[in-house]
């Protein structure tokens, strides 16, 4: 199984895990379509991929906005190349006790992590159904399966994203479409207004570790689907 010449749509591809996935897949010969809200960061990523010889296109898009996702899917359909892979990676998080969590912040996290994943699948799965093949990978979290104090909003969103993925897998499997979920623990990125490279995070997963897992899952033979892949830094106590 080779990834050469395939087409992948990757959300949250301007930085962190999504950017590493885009770079890894582009190096393997995949045409990577990059999505994020900030056009400038996206263009930086796309330029770097092109300098390395990769094939890429970038679309500034809020995955929580239904009209924008629908327009993007229509443009994709006109491209005449099949959509082989959809990597739903974009996500946000913020951590505080329930009684200090504002309702608008709750809505924003749910809009990106849950509704955004849903909308991308809602509009791109029909393209895969026409092709009778495709592979969706949702980047969830180890806290899709465990909870901690201060994590109500984020855990609820990641549990919901996981349940959604599990249902979708059952719905599309008969049509030859695979759904995989990757659950990373701590990853050294810009997540929650952090910055990569802090000394105290030096033993965390690197975005490239998650990108390697994505490539591994995509390289499974056609008759194999990796349903779930949980990964942690060895240093993380969970
Ligand atoms: O985060 P970060 P990560 N529409 O902040 C984009 C999960 N995870 O790489 O839109 C479209 O470096 C944003 O770009 P912009 C986590 O839940 C992480 O760590 O311009 N794009 C940027 O490209 C998430 O699902 C850890 O702001 C939107 C990207 O998303 C995934 O890993 C642990 C968007 C975020 O890059 C990637 O997060 C874990 C929108 N509405 C799970 N909103 C961890 N880092 O420790 C944001 O268990 N983006």
């Amino acid at each position: 199984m080779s990834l050469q010449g395939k087409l992948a749509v990757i959300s949250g591809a301007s930085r962190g895990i999504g950017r590493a996935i885009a770079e890894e897949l582009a190096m393997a010969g995949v045409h990577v379509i990059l999505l994020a809200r900030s056009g400038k960061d996206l263009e930086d990523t796309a330029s770097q991929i092109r300098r390395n010889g990769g094939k890429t296109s970038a679309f500034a898009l809020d995955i929580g906005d239904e009209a924008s996702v629908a327009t993007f899917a229509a443009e994709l359909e006109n491209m005449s190349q099949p959509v082989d892979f959809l990597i739903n990676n974009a996500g946000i998080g913020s951590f505080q006790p329930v009684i200090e969590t504002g309702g608008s912040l709750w809505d924003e996290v749910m809009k990106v992590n849950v509704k955004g994943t849903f909308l991308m699948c809602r509009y791109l799965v029909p393209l895969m159904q026409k092709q009778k093949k495709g592979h969706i990978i949702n980047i969830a979290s180890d806290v899709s399966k465990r909870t901690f104090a201060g994590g109500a909003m984020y855990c609820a969103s990641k549990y919901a994203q996981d349940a959604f993925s599990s249902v979708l897998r059952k719905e599309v499997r008969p049509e030859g479409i695979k759904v995989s979920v990757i659950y990373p623990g701590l990853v050294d990125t810009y997540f929650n207004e952090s910055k990569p490279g802090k000394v105290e995070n030096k033993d965390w997963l690197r975005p490239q570790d998650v990108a390697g897992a994505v490539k591994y899952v995509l390289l499974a033979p056609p008759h194999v689907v990796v349903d779930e892949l949980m990964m942690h830094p060895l240093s993380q106590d969970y």
Side-chain angles (χ1 to χ4, degrees):
M1 167 93 184
S2 161
L3 300 179
Q4 184 72 39
K6 304 281 189 190
L7 186 134
V9 174
I10 305 166
S11 72
S14 61
R15 58 174 193 255
I17 295 170
R19 178 173 178 148
I21 294 169
E23 289 173 346
E24 179 85 30
L25 296 187
M27 269 193 314
V30 177
H31 176 182
V32 287
I33 298 191
L34 317 177
L35 308 179
R37 290 166 302 179
S38 156
K40 187 192 168 303
D41 292 349
L42 266 183
E43 272 314 319
D44 288 349
T45 307
S47 302
Q48 184 61 50
I49 288 173
R50 286 190 199 107
R51 274 196 296 278
N52 293 338
K55 192 170 175 198
T56 187
S57 334
F59 290 80
L61 173 75
D62 181 342
I63 59 161
D65 182 75
E66 182 161 8
S68 306
V69 175
T71 304
F72 167 69
E75 286 185 36
L76 210 51
E77 196 167 12
N78 289 336
M79 276 177 64
S80 76
Q81 195 185 341
V83 179
D84 299 291
F85 310 134
L86 167 61
I87 319 292
N88 287 307
N89 161 77
I92 57 173
S94 171
F95 304 92
Q96 57 279 116
V98 170
I99 59 167
E100 292 170 21
T101 303
S104 55
L105 183 58
W106 177 279
D107 288 344
E108 186 59 24
V109 170
M110 294 298 161
K111 186 177 168 200
V112 181
N113 298 0
V114 188
K115 189 179 178 190
T117 302
F118 153 67
L119 288 175
M120 290 297 293
C121 294
R122 163 68 184 83
Y123 286 95
L124 269 62
V125 163
L127 308 186
M128 292 181 170
Q129 285 172 320
K130 278 191 196 154
Q131 305 157 192
K132 299 251 174 282
K133 69 181 168 74
H135 195 159
I136 297 162
I137 300 185
N138 293 338
I139 307 298
S141 170
D142 65 339
V143 300
S144 296
K145 293 181 184 285
R146 70 179 177 88
T147 60
F148 62 96
M153 181 172 57
Y154 185 65
C155 293
S157 76
K158 289 292 173 177
Y159 268 68
Q161 187 190 28
D162 190 31
F164 169 81
S165 307
S166 176
V167 172
L168 182 68
R169 181 180 301 122
K170 290 176 170 44
E171 290 185 1
V172 299
R173 187 194 54 75
E175 299 174 276
I177 300 169
K178 299 180 182 183
V179 177
S180 304
V181 185
I182 295 181
Y183 309 87
L186 295 167
V187 191
D188 190 23
T189 69
Y190 297 86
F191 186 73
N192 189 26
E193 298 181 1
S194 184
K195 273 218 165 112
K198 289 182 186 165
V199 178
E200 62 268 31
N201 301 344
K202 69 177 171 26
D203 294 329
W204 288 14
L205 297 175
R206 312 253 80 84
Q208 292 75 14
D209 297 323
V210 184
V214 167
K215 191 172 164 196
Y216 165 78
V217 167
L218 291 178
L219 280 171
H223 68 289
V224 176
V225 57
V226 178
D227 301 295
E228 305 189 344
L229 193 155
M230 176 80 73
M231 59 194 297
H232 288 100
L234 190 57
S235 60
Q236 185 178 345
D237 187 14
Y238 53 92

